[in-house]
Amino acid sequence: MRENLIEKNVDEFLLRPNLLDYEGECREFRWEDVGREFEGLPGGGLNIAHEAIDRHANGALSDKTALLWLGQNGERKTYTFGEMKKESAKFANVLKRLHLAKGERVFTLSSRIPQLYASAMGIFKNQNVLCPLFSQFGPEPILQRMLKGDAKLLLTTKKLYEKKVRPILHELLDLRYVLLLDADEDENEKTLSYSRLMSEASENFEILPTDPEDMSILHFTSGTTGTPKGVAHVHKAIYAHYMTGKYALDLHPQDNYWCTADPGWVTGTSYGIITPWLHGVTNIVDEAEFDAARWYKTLQDEKVSVWYTAPTAIRRLMRIDSEPTLEYDLSNLRLIQSVGEPLNPEAVLWGEKKLKLPIHDNWWQTETGAIMIANLISQTIRPGSMGRPLPGIVAGIVHVDDEGVLSEVTEPNKEGDLALKVGWPSMFRGYLHNEEKYEKSFVDGWYLSGDLAYKDEAGYFWFVGRADDIIKTSGHMVGPFEVESALMEHPAVAEAGVIGKPDQIIGQLVKAFVSLKTNYEPSDELRRELIGFARKKLGVAVAPKEIEFQENLPKTRSGKIMRRLLKAREMGLPEGDTSTLEE
Ligand code: ATP
Ligand code: MG
């Protein structure tokens, strides 16, 4: 997987990258210096909404577009930092009027509409905790999360309320209010009209001193490996958001930045709301779901310069055999970053070829709150690698023995647990109602991510698989990512998910589930061809012994292949928590 290094020639770039000397910055970097980029609250403390919105609105950026919103039906609206300040202040006043106390949780359930973004800031201003739900969840996942997260107020739309909330309302005994975004009148004393309340609210709101360690966001993980976990974050996380916005996303004031993630997932809040605004950058939000032509047109029409997306979207674009740069003007685009799943080397190279820009992979988790490891715009890409730790982040490959003693694996290219040295500001501060699991995630000052990886001689990290997904076959340990990436190199393959199928003789047998590109049909011949193709690349021991064609692989709603489901289905076992399964 080490071929095809992508070298960068910074002199050819549209803008000078924020980080040129990676090693130097890693040596010099101090988190305290990031703190100097913030203003702090007049009365003391640190609040996300003040740093992301108010300080810009109070200064030179007041009339700059903070949010450029593209509606599902072709609407296009812009909101300045000044307007966002007022809207969020009004919502904070609404929460205050409803006696929502500091630390109480406010859940949101809506598509990506402007009010969601302004409200998020209002929630921070009133020192409540934001818990964004993905609007495509059904009633049961909504109920489970609201109960677990101790929801006090829900902000949603009439339609979502009728369909998904009313059926579970009788079980939400601690829920005090539902605010309906598009209702003109209150339904009763508990179910209120958002617009009425907003019209009565003042545009001024003084944020009370907020401790950097106060809880700000409650996020649920993607549920790829099991029941989604509630993860608590604090205001101080913006130190990491600011730093990663500067170095990993290379944000510059003139950027038009588009993050395709929904705020129901951590990428959609950390990078779809907070980070661009910390940098005073225009944030583009598209309400609609994936559509190749719409996306290319958005990149063109909105002159997107920095684009943050996910492997699942890239693979969908790859499926369609097109020449986007001939059809669309993508000349403003200068950086593409991707997160959420392993990014096959094939996808990185596809970007280079078809978009004239490589795709930069980066790694992090709901728990880490911000990007930890990334390929940087100024640095050589090793396709298939997640890149190197950002300044201020210490990542390592470790091994924990049966007695619980941790040792660092210093030898290059040797697999182990991917871990982070405790001390980065956006580290989660707890798993909701699961102190034990939280404690267990830390050993000797390291946070154990649950992913397996190795570090090469140049310090680049390579994803092997989730600890749960590793396949033990004939005494070898096989990471599914390696097998999937090899299959992806075949022109017929659109997506691949690889599991270990229990086998009496060899322990586990490598089995691949494959979905094909539009112009290909499943056949025994193609199956044999793929097995042969993989054998040539990987050797007989690692290549899949079985291949099954599926039109679509099961994925989380955030677009990750659910290998645990492929496995459960293969073995006829219960499917477990499927609340985040895409329909
Ligand atoms: P759950 O914890 O509920 O099983 P999840 O781990 O998928 O779900 P997230 O926090 O959204 O929930 O995802 C983080 C995980 O996604 C990482 O631990 C890793 O397994 C995977 N991941 C994220 N980015 C990358 C990447 N660039 N390369 C490989 N894997 C990645
Ligand atoms: Mg996880």
Side-chain angles (χ1 to χ4, degrees), residues 137-138 140-141 145 223 227-228 557 562 564 576-581:
F137 280 149
E140 190 56 31
R145 283 166 181 74
T227 305
R557 291 177 187 276
M562 289 172 102
R564 73 169 158 99
D577 191 307
T578 52
S579 64
T580 62
L581 177 67

Side-chain angles (χ1 to χ4, degrees), residues 221-225 229 339-342 361-367 386 451 463 466 560:
T221 59
S222 293
T224 315
T225 55
K229 299 161 283 248
V339 73
E341 271 199 302
D361 187 19
N362 62 77
W363 175 92
W364 58 293
Q365 308 179 301
T366 310
E367 288 88 338
M386 308 186 285
D451 287 343
F463 184 78
R466 293 166 182 264
K560 301 171 195 239

